Amino acid sequence: MKRTIYAAALAVLLAFGATAKAEYPDRTITMIVPFAAGGPTDVLGRIMAQSMSDILGQQVIVENIGGAGGMTGGKKVAEARPDGYTMLLGTVGTQAQGQTLYKHPLYNSVTDFSPVALIAEVPIVIIARPDFPANNLKDFVAYAKANTSKMSFGSAGAGSATHLGCVIADLAMGVNITHVPYKGSAPAMTDLMSGRIDFFCEILSTAKALIDSHKVKAIALMTKQRSPVEPNIPTAEEQGFKGFEAYTWNALFLPKGAPADVVKKLNDATVAAMNTPSVQERLQKLGASIVPPDRRSPEYLGSF
């Protein structure tokens, strides 16, 4: 009888041990950056991933999957298991603009993801090849109107924020310049510096170092206020282009159906990283504005 009771008790303990879940996270987390390495989203993602690794006690690695204006990487996350080990560093392009630009988007950004946290907003700046024969927006527009058929601009992919920034610029200038899409900002920037394309509406976080080293030429910031990290770059607004604005944002998403406790754990880690002085300093130096506390919840991101 005692043996029977002992065997039954042991069976219960073994069954419990087999079904008990390890506390999340208990292994490496992958952050999908839907653009090429070296671009603005990649830079921000790696800063956040390093800090979140320390906070979570598990490594957060970055995997770059470019293509389709960022939707290729977004699709991989949308189709991943909702266990918290695959997340997307989304942008205004992958989560908002692409949904209306494409007739058949690769996913539904509202229903196919679990929002985690909005992180930062970053202005877009018009930059030109280093030998471009204009130094301000007025002269840039004059040159573009006189040489429209000869010019081209690059982007991080069709439908990306960098593409739409230049579309807005084209509309404001009254021209239709040839678009050359790339699989990310880094290869587009390489061609800009070598003079293969004429200009690029890049996110300030990536453009800053090249502007400071005079490898590209800054023409105008596409926001209404100047950036505190690049105060010498005039805005398009102050150069006569009223209502002229383009910027991007970055946020973390999990696949739909992610457990609430996992979403909370990642949100807590994301917010903790955003509150880390070294992260704030690095992001601010890149020109990124970290969103205030009342805009950091999963619920806010879902409505946003």
Side-chain angles (χ1 to χ4, degrees):
M1 183 66 176
K2 289 182 178 180
R3 289 179 181 177
T4 303
I5 294 173
Y6 176 77
L10 181 60
V12 170
L13 289 172
L14 289 173
F16 178 79
T19 58
K21 293 171 61 177
E23 184 178 356
Y24 173 84
D26 65 346
R27 54 187 170 88
T28 298
I29 299 171
T30 299
M31 177 191 292
I32 300 294
V33 170
F35 299 102
T41 305
D42 179 66
V43 173
L44 186 144
R46 291 180 188 277
I47 291 172
M48 291 296 296
Q50 181 180 1
S51 181
M52 291 176 70
S53 296
D54 296 336
I55 293 163
L56 290 167
Q58 292 289 342
Q59 188 176 13
V60 179
I61 63 170
V62 170
E63 181 180 352
N64 299 92
I65 301 178
M71 286 203 299
T72 302
K75 183 175 184 287
K76 181 170 182 178
V77 176
E79 295 176 346
R81 291 182 60 187
D83 55 8
Y85 291 98
T86 304
M87 60 182 174
L88 174 69
L89 182 59
T91 70
V92 65
T94 64
Q95 305 306 112
Q97 295 165 344
Q99 297 298 296
T100 53
L101 288 175
Y102 289 85
K103 288 184 178 179
H104 304 288
L106 300 182
Y107 49 79
N108 185 310
S109 63
V110 175
T111 61
D112 290 346
F113 297 91
S114 297
V116 176
L118 183 63
I119 299 171
E121 295 171 333
V122 192
I124 290 177
V125 59
I126 301 174
I127 52 176
R129 52 185 165 85
D131 61 344
F132 195 85
N135 298 312
N136 57 60
L137 192 56
K138 180 181 178 181
D139 292 343
F140 182 90
V141 172
Y143 183 88
K145 287 185 174 181
N147 299 274
T148 301
S149 62
K150 302 176 184 178
M151 291 180 64
S152 62
F153 70 87
S155 78
S160 67
T162 58
H163 176 203
L164 291 189
C166 281
V167 169
I168 290 172
D170 271 12
L171 290 171
M173 291 187 290
V175 297
N176 185 17
I177 295 172
T178 300
H179 170 222
V180 182
Y182 293 81
K183 287 188 176 182
S185 288
M189 194 71 82
T190 298
D191 277 5
L192 180 69
M193 289 187 289
S194 63
R196 294 188 182 93
I197 55 177
D198 293 289
F199 68 103
F200 186 22
C201 299
E202 176 59 308
I203 298 165
L204 184 60
S205 55
T206 300
K208 184 181 185 307
L210 298 178
I211 293 170
D212 293 345
S213 60
H214 305 290
K215 293 180 179 178
V216 298
K217 183 181 293 186
I219 301 296
L221 202 66
M222 298 176 72
T223 48
K224 294 181 179 179
Q225 288 86 32
R226 293 197 183 198
S227 167
V229 299
E230 287 289 351
N232 293 324
I233 301 177
T235 67
E237 179 97 3
E238 64 187 272
Q239 294 187 75
F241 281 66
K242 303 301 180 183
F244 187 84
E245 190 171 27
Y247 66 95
T248 187
W249 49 259
N250 294 97
L252 287 176
F253 298 85
L254 289 170
K256 67 177 179 181
D261 60 331
V262 171
V263 172
K264 185 179 187 309
K265 190 75 174 281
L266 274 181
N267 177 268
D268 289 346
T270 304
V271 171
M274 293 162 66
N275 287 332
T276 303
S278 60
V279 170
Q280 292 181 348
E281 182 180 1
R282 293 176 70 185
L283 292 184
Q284 287 167 0
K285 283 183 178 179
L286 292 172
S289 299
I290 296 175
V291 299
D294 62 343
R295 300 180 64 201
R296 299 178 183 180
S297 69
E299 294 75 21
Y300 177 85
L301 179 57
S303 63
F304 179 71

